Amino acid sequence: MKNIFLIIFLLIFSLGFSQKKKKSKTKVVAEKETVIIYTETEAETSNEPRIIAGFLKQNPGHARTDFFKKRLITIIMADNSPEAKPTIKPLSKDKIEKIVGNNELNKGKDVTVNKSPEKNVNFASVGSVSKKSEASDKNKRTAAMLTHIFNDDPSDKEAYINIKNRSNCRLIVKISGKKYYNLDVPAKGQNFVLIDKGEYVLTTMVCDAKYSSLKKITKDIEIQLDVSE
């Protein structure tokens, strides 16, 4: 009889221990940091100005430089919002052409665009509460990004971090250093921020896994985040 009770006790204990061990299994963040390299395929298929501009910067004298310059300007000038407001400060075509044209890629080349009536970039999103401020902020962000990418000055004090989120959870990445930044990255998406060069601590929650990493930012980088068990 005692042996039966002992066997039952051992079985219950083993079952409880295995369940506890299973519960204690935690997720960890998988990180991959790379220097950003843009390919011709990405520049041809992407609708992100950053990618096209980055490809142009990394491939001076490319046979299709003029094509990609025109595509870059067309994408930035595209206005798909039916709620465009004339009170929103525009990012004009002249300003975009000046930024794109003010670099080593354009020596001996001219950028020509169709002389259709000028349109102003509007980034207001449908249903937004503060369309004016959002559009103005995105205009400034786009102009700053293009200026940075086409800047050939080695003493440039800025770099940008692109966060590529491979997880199924939205991320709010906190970047803390001599300045502080919050970057909202959608699930299975990406986002970037232009920051002053220096040391920063990046923290976020990737689903249920905590991520914290010290980075010395001296150039443009891309960080991929995901979770693994």
Side-chain angles (χ1 to χ4, degrees):
M1 191 72 176
K2 288 182 180 180
N3 290 336
I4 294 174
F5 281 118
L6 181 61
I7 292 171
I8 293 173
F9 175 77
L10 289 173
L11 287 172
I12 293 172
F13 179 80
S14 300
L15 181 62
F17 181 77
S18 63
Q19 286 180 342
K20 186 177 180 181
K21 190 174 181 181
K22 187 180 291 185
K23 285 182 180 178
S24 65
K25 192 175 183 180
T26 57
K27 295 179 179 179
V28 295
V29 177
E31 175 194 17
K32 181 181 179 182
E33 179 182 329
T34 57
V35 176
I36 302 174
I37 298 176
Y38 301 101
T39 66
E40 184 175 354
T41 300
E42 287 176 326
E44 193 165 20
T45 58
S46 175
N47 287 324
E48 283 193 59
R50 173 180 60 86
I51 292 176
I52 302 170
F55 175 79
L56 288 170
K57 178 66 180 291
Q58 292 178 357
N59 296 273
H62 191 276
R64 303 179 69 195
T65 292
D66 287 342
F67 166 78
F68 286 119
K69 285 178 188 172
K70 292 175 186 177
R71 187 165 189 271
L72 173 62
I73 293 171
T74 300
I75 288 173
I76 297 175
M77 293 305 302
D79 181 3
N80 296 318
S81 171
E83 300 188 9
K85 305 292 183 182
T87 52
I88 295 175
K89 188 175 181 180
L91 187 62
S92 68
K93 182 184 292 185
D94 289 341
K95 185 170 183 178
I96 296 169
E97 290 183 2
K98 185 176 180 181
I99 294 172
V100 176
N102 186 26
N103 66 87
E104 295 297 319
L105 304 177
N106 292 308
K107 287 187 175 179
K109 291 177 177 274
D110 294 321
V111 181
T112 57
V113 294
N114 294 330
K115 297 298 180 180
S116 54
E118 181 174 304
K119 292 201 303 180
N120 294 329
V121 177
N122 184 297
F123 296 94
S125 57
V126 177
S128 174
V129 177
S130 55
K131 299 179 182 65
K132 294 180 184 178
S133 61
E134 285 184 8
S136 179
D137 288 345
K138 193 161 185 179
N139 288 346
K140 291 177 183 177
R141 187 169 179 256
T142 301
M145 178 269 296
L146 290 175
T147 301
H148 165 72
I149 288 179
F150 286 118
N151 185 5
D152 293 312
D153 185 357
S155 63
D156 184 10
K157 295 181 180 180
E158 293 181 313
Y160 74 77
I161 301 176
N162 185 59
I163 303 292
K164 190 170 284 187
N165 181 10
R166 298 295 192 187
S167 77
N168 294 317
C169 306
R170 173 189 173 195
L171 307 181
I172 302 295
V173 182
K174 295 183 178 181
I175 303 171
S176 307
K178 54 185 177 181
K179 289 187 178 180
Y180 297 87
Y181 309 85
N182 283 338
L183 188 60
D184 190 344
V185 189
K188 299 295 183 182
Q190 58 184 316
N191 200 359
F192 72 93
V193 61
L194 190 64
I195 67 172
D196 290 346
K197 292 178 180 178
E199 285 194 350
Y200 293 89
V201 176
L202 278 65
T203 57
T204 190
M205 291 295 295
V206 185
C207 299
D208 296 327
K210 186 175 181 180
Y211 169 78
S212 181
S213 180
L214 175 65
K215 301 289 183 185
K216 187 172 183 180
I217 309 299
T218 59
K219 55 189 173 184
D220 299 343
I221 64 168
E222 179 175 277
I223 299 173
Q224 292 185 27
L225 296 178
D226 200 354
V227 287
S228 60
E229 296 184 354

